[in-house]
Amino acid sequence: MPLHILPKALTALIDDFGSLPGVGARTAERYAYAVLRRNPKSAKQLAQSLDRLHDRVKTCPKTFALIDASEEISPLYADKSRNKQLVCVVEEPLDIVALERTGQFTGTYHVLGGVISPIDGIGPEQLHIPELIDRIKSDDVQEVIIATNASVEGESTALFLQRYIQEAGLTITVSRLARGIPVGVDLEYADQITLTHALEGRKQL
Amino acid sequence: MPLHILPKALTALIDDFGSLPGVGARTAERYAYAVLRRNPKSAKQLAQSLDRLHDRVKTCPKTFALIDASEEISPLYADKSRNKQLVCVVEEPLDIVALERTGQFTGTYHVLGGVISPIDGIGPEQLHIPELIDRIKSDDVQEVIIATNASVEGESTALFLQRYIQEAGLTITVSRLARGIPVGVDLEYADQITLTHALEGRKQL
């Protein structure tokens, strides 16, 4: 049996940290050692946050955003100042955070819970698409903004959604987030497809 | 009061993850969401690992390596096959892991617990230097390999240690890890100082 170089409790924590996305062995070691060097209270606090997480978070039955277990419905939906006739469709709950940071959107959100991806065995039936159609009908939605990612899967999901809404006989506006050159990026570094989108979507000054 | 976008339990976890070294807001969000999406058992396991950490890990009183709370002394020191007359001095406990991975070192270790850094208010008296001198005497140490980092602080700590050992009247070999070109690195990318070291330390073939 080889000697153990590190204490078992530390090795266990390194293994657990290593299971987080994008965390390799060295990074996991660094995190575990950082936790060990800080006072025990902050380790216990992180432990408690993790322990409580699943019990205290649930999914909103209407928008599929993440909400407190004590809440009935997403506060971003329940809030009277939000326009329920304008729905922004996102892939994942964290996308809402990114959009809310802009402070520019006053509508409501609908989380698909992923994108159509045949390779991963994810078809439209696994996404919250029927619930979106229900919302469009019950809330008299006027516009759906499709804010899926600019990936291949995100694009095809957007296309699918657009057709699905049409075929459901709903005559509402369906829009997609603009594609173009991000702020602060030089033209020479922009890729062909982004530039093509930027040309097509040009605005008259 | 602004609406909370994410559930409180998730925000708390994101804040806690954000306190790990090199983890920004986006990365912390990604970790927290990854934990939430996995089954609750793995979150509880990570919680348990964190909760136990400080109670189950202690410092070896001889080598200052990290050991199980149930152990008296570092197994790397206690092991009979390790040469106690050869001591490798490192800054931090994790440096031992890196050296043990080579499988080439059969001596023992001594952890300084940092480096001399006047800016951070760390003087030689805060490092485990007196204990090293005691070991050199009691274990009849023949060689001390100084394996501090190749940083300014690491170099000056090495220099300090060398003089300290001399002034203590100990006539033992004091060596330093070789500096040179790392494996797989092109000459043109090596910095001046590294190349200077590589020239000085050249080996006859």
Side-chain angles (χ1 to χ4, degrees), chain B residues 10 26 38 44 66 90 99 105 123 126 135 158 173 187 195:
Chain B
L10 191 62
R26 299 290 168 98
R38 293 192 307 209
K44 302 251 182 224
L66 297 171
V90 295
L99 285 158
F105 184 67
Q126 274 134 292
R135 269 183 77 180
T173 308
L187 261 199
L195 265 181

Side-chain angles (χ1 to χ4, degrees), chain B residues 7 45 62 86 88 100 175 185 187 193:
Chain B
Q45 193 193 313
K62 191 91 181 171
L86 176 61
C88 181
E100 280 298 297
S175 59
V185 166
L187 261 199
I193 299 172

Side-chain angles (χ1 to χ4, degrees), chain B residues 179-181 186-202:
Chain B
R179 260 82 50 89
I181 298 155
D186 281 7
L187 261 199
E188 55 176 326
Y189 295 118
D191 63 285
Q192 280 184 340
I193 299 172
T194 300
L195 265 181
T196 307
H197 282 305
L199 277 168
E200 284 171 2
R202 69 189 179 277

Side-chain angles (χ1 to χ4, degrees), chain A residues 41-54:
Chain A
K41 246 178 83 182
S42 80
K44 302 250 181 224
Q45 193 193 314
L46 177 52
Q48 198 183 51
S49 297
L50 282 158
D51 200 56
R52 287 175 174 173
L53 185 67
H54 285 83

